[in-house]
């Protein structure tokens, strides 16, 4: 019997080179479905079955894109959340993207990248993670712990950035909730926000937050009206709750979170144990809910920050001036990741060069990417279309320049994803430059 352990599958260098020559330096990716127990699937991902293979109470509500980071799910297969490269046309002949980078880093990412990122090359980890969230409700108030606490539970920090494409569904309250009201932060020399947050979490743990009308935490948070086609930067350890049911997120490679809201907008009661998902058991035993409260970075809690964490699209100077095509930065302001959107009108062609290999998602429309057929994800629930939505572009192809042709009858919409420090021309977020946080 052949060894079917996905982490031991290899691809011959000669075969991979032939595939790359045939595909002009581009590889097809399959999306990595991730099931959750704490949120209900929105069922917009084009699957025929949203159930989990290992947990009857879980449902697939996320696709991880170009992922080399596994999901942190109890009982899940080891490759849950990891993307596969299609080597053949039938979807059966495939290999983990992580394996390809680990085995052939110089061929995929280039020797300079390998030499400068030895840890990433050896592990096959890109240290970035893009996702599509697809839920039946908005995401509850939550946070991602800082590195200095999460290292003790084998997790990583998680700075992230949401992006809301036009038309994605939102809840009845279309505001982004962030941090805590200034009246709490400014009450006394140290504020009372920690005590207010601890009181709420204790009520949640004690089973007192079981009805939406009794759930008061969002009323103590800053409200920022959410807008389409903009991004929202969320530093590690900041409290937040986005209103969108469907979101495209780019982040550090982490699956760390603490769920800090007792009910969902549809009336679902959140299991209080989810508050302690990534908490050191000793810390929890000694400090209870304060083991979560102490993770919060209150610099990101006030209205001053909540008014300045939005990123509007910015034209990429290197690709300006092309007829019927536009590239704009939509993920920026973070040292951990960056990304752009590319819009190409019907019948038009877009050309661009990049310094490093990266993955792309075709969000809407159809066309060709270096000759490879691509088709959009948005509003397309054809299960057979998944293989046409995601690509990985090697560094050699990115350096030579890619060519994107819109062969459809509506705008072609592509999103690119880059890792830590890889795009030096990405804009800065003025607020972070000014404040140093």
């Amino acid at each position: 019997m052949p060894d079917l352990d996905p982490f031991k599958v290899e691809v011959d260098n000669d075969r991979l080179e032939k595939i790359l020559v045939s595909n002009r330096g581009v590889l097809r990716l399959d999306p990595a479905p991730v099931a959750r127990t704490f949120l209900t699937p929105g069922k917009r991902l084009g699957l025929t079955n949203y159930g989990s293979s290992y947990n009857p109470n879980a449902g697939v509500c996320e696709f991880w894109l170009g992922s080399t980071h596994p999901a942190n799910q109890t009982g899940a297969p080891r490759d849950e959340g990891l993307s596969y490269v299609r080597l053949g046309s039938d979807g059966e002949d495939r290999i983990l993207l992580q394996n390809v980078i680990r085995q052939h880093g110089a061929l995929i990412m280039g020797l300079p990248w390998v030499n400068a990122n030895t840890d990433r090359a050896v592990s096959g980890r890109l240290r970035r993670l893009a996702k599509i969230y697809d839920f039946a409700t908005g995401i509850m108030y939550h946070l991602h712990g800082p590195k200095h606490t999460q290292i003790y539970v084998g997790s990583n920090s998680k700075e992230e950035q949401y992006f809301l494409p036009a038309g994605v569904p939102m809840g009845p309250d279309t505001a982004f909730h962030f941090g805590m009201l200034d009246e709490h932060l400014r009450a006394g020399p140290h504020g009372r926000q920690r005590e207010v947050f601890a009181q709420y979490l204790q009520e949640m743990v004690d089973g007192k937050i079981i009805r939406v009308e009794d759930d008061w935490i969002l009323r103590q948070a800053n409200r920022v009206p959410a807008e389409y086609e903009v991004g929202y930067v969320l530093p590690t350890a900041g409290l937040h709750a986005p209103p969108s049911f469907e979101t495209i997120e780019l982040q550090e490679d982490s699956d760390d979170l603490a769920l800090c809201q007792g009910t969902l907008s549809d009336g679902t009661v959140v299991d209080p144990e989810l508050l302690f998902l990534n908490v050191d058991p000793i810390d929890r035993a000694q400090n209870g809910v304060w083991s979560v409260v102490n993770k919060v970075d209150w610099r990101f809690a006030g209205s001053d920050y909540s008014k300045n964490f939005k990123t509007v699209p910015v034209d990429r100077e290197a690709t300006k001036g092309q007829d019927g095509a536009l590239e704009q930065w939509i993920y920026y302001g973070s040292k951990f990741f960056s990304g752009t959107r590319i819009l190409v009108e019907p019948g038009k062609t877009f050309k661009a060069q990049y310094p490093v290999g990266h993955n792309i998602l075709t969000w809407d429309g159809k066309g060709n990417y270096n000759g490879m057929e691509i088709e959009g994800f948005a509003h397309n629930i054809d299960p057979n279309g998944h293989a046409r939505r995601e690509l990985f572009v090697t560094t050699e192809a990115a350096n030579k320049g890619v060519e994107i042709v819109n062969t459809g009858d509506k705008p072609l919409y592509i999103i690119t994803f880059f890792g830590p420090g890889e795009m030096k021309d990405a804009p800065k977020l003025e607020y972070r430059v000014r404040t140093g946080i």
Side-chain angles (χ1 to χ4, degrees), residues 164-182:
L164 311 182
V168 296
M170 295 193 194
D173 184 349
T174 59
F176 214 112
H177 291 85
F178 194 87
M180 198 161 281
L181 296 174
D182 290 351

Side-chain angles (χ1 to χ4, degrees), residues 193-209:
Q193 69 276 6
R194 289 161 50 85
E195 289 72 19
V196 171
F197 189 42
Q199 176 189 338
Y200 175 84
L201 296 185
Q202 191 61 56
E203 289 183 15
M204 180 178 165
V205 169
D206 292 342
K208 296 179 180 179
I209 310 294

Side-chain angles (χ1 to χ4, degrees), residues 291-321:
S291 63
V292 177
V293 175
N294 290 335
K295 292 184 179 186
V296 180
D297 190 332
W298 297 105
R299 295 178 301 168
F300 308 128
S303 63
D304 183 48
Y305 183 78
S306 65
K307 294 173 183 176
N308 290 282
F309 73 123
K310 181 176 72 174
T311 56
V312 299
V314 176
D315 291 354
R316 185 176 179 232
E317 291 293 328
T319 54
K320 286 180 69 172

Side-chain angles (χ1 to χ4, degrees), residues 161 250 314 327-332 337-341 415-419 423 426-427:
Q161 188 167 356
L250 185 56
V314 176
E327 182 176 25
Q328 295 178 308
W329 292 103
I330 56 173
Y331 298 103
Y332 60 90
F337 49 76
S338 60
T340 68
R341 69 176 180 184
I415 300 176
T416 69
F417 306 104
F418 300 92
M423 295 297 287

Side-chain angles (χ1 to χ4, degrees), residues 34 54 79 83 122 125 133 146 154 214 244-245 258 272 292 354 394 403:
V34 173
Y54 59 90
D79 62 347
S83 295
V122 170
R125 301 277 284 271
Y133 287 144
D214 297 329
S244 55
F245 295 0
V292 177
Y354 303 94
T394 64
E403 181 179 80

